[in-house]
Amino acid sequence: MHVISWLSLAWCAIPVVLIAIVYARWSGKASEVLLSAARMTLQLIGVGYVLVALFDNPSPWITAAVLTMMVCIASWIALRPLGYQRSYLKPTLIALASSTGLHLFISLVLVIGVETWYEPRIVIPLAGMYFANTMNAISLATERYHAELEEGKPEPKARITAFQTAMIPQINSLLAVGLVSLPGMMTGQILSGVSPLIAVRYQIMIMTMVLGSGGCGAALMLWQLGRAYQANQPESKGDNQGGKGDE
């Protein structure tokens, strides 16, 4: 596999600068792109060193701690479109952890058949992909659900619209893979010398697990929000009736 030097990697700054120029001309917030790119670079370099240490010293406790940190960070990031409202944090944690945990179990135990679940070389890359996609699905669903209710839509209609919105990237990915795009994991395996036929099997697993994890995460999140919404309805009605009785 061809090794990219740090000097060659510097050319990757070109697209970042181009988008920053567009941001500066259209919104005046070029710093958002530049800071995000800088943060991404530092995070990945740091994670690279951490993963090297984890791969050399596998531990169930350390792997569990890393997964816990990942789900907490992903849950917090998922709330960004709503201004990080703390009231949504608990349902987001439940939806993200439950959905991703289920699909990690399916991948590791039923599909791959690993001997030790905490093998960081396997579980952490898979968990990262599942967490990221499920986080995005939950974020889209929550934002759309909140917006639909703000517009006065009935709760069932808001829930359906929110779920369909969250699933658009998932469905588009399924339709485009192989015809429009070769996803990251498959491309990485092929570049590292793995047979395309073996890479395809792994990619099918990834795509189906991402679909299920994202869909289940969004559905579980919307189910919790729907229960909370319905629970608050009788109180408001009771208060209105009490107000009329006092008059």
Side-chain angles (χ1 to χ4, degrees), residues 15-234:
V16 176
V17 172
L18 290 175
I19 299 302
I21 293 173
V22 175
Y23 259 71
R25 289 184 175 272
W26 287 10
S27 66
K29 296 181 179 178
S31 59
E32 183 176 353
V33 177
L34 296 175
L35 290 175
S36 298
R39 175 175 167 177
M40 174 273 297
T41 302
L42 293 175
Q43 287 175 175
L44 286 180
I45 293 174
V47 165
Y49 284 108
V50 170
L51 289 179
V52 169
L54 289 177
F55 292 170
D56 292 338
N57 303 282
S59 165
W61 300 107
I62 296 179
T63 300
V66 171
L67 294 178
T68 301
M69 180 188 68
M70 291 170 71
V71 71
C72 291
I73 295 174
S75 298
W76 186 245
I77 294 175
L79 300 179
R80 187 178 66 88
L82 295 176
Y84 301 104
Q85 295 187 30
R86 295 182 181 273
S87 60
Y88 287 96
L89 183 57
K90 181 179 178 181
T92 302
L93 280 168
I94 293 174
L96 191 59
S98 300
S99 180
T100 304
L102 171 63
H103 290 83
L104 271 177
F105 173 81
I106 296 174
S107 301
L108 296 172
V109 178
L110 302 181
V111 180
I112 300 177
V114 296
E115 295 182 359
T116 54
W117 69 267
Y118 57 86
E119 178 59 51
R121 192 179 300 274
I122 299 175
V123 67
I124 292 179
L126 290 179
M129 286 185 283
Y130 297 174
F131 278 134
N133 284 276
T134 306
M135 173 191 71
N136 290 334
I138 290 175
S139 186
L140 287 171
T142 305
E143 190 278 333
R144 177 48 51 188
Y145 181 80
H146 185 75
E148 292 290 310
L149 291 179
E150 287 289 314
E151 293 177 3
K153 302 292 180 61
E155 194 279 332
K157 176 65 175 176
R159 186 172 359 110
I160 293 172
T161 302
F163 183 74
Q164 291 174 338
T165 300
M167 294 306 294
I168 289 175
Q170 313 288 342
I171 301 299
N172 286 350
S173 296
L174 293 180
L175 296 175
V177 66
L179 298 176
V180 179
S181 66
L182 292 179
M185 181 175 185
M186 181 176 173
T187 301
Q189 287 184 311
I190 292 174
L191 289 175
S192 64
V194 175
S195 167
L197 295 178
I198 295 177
V200 162
R201 300 175 203 172
Y202 275 89
Q203 194 58 54
I204 290 173
M205 178 191 73
I206 295 298
M207 298 298 292
T208 53
M209 293 302 111
V210 163
L211 174 70
S213 182
C216 290
L220 183 54
M221 181 68 177
L222 292 170
W223 176 76
Q224 293 179 88
L225 296 180
R227 283 177 58 106
Y229 177 84
Q230 296 296 338
N232 291 330
Q233 292 305 101

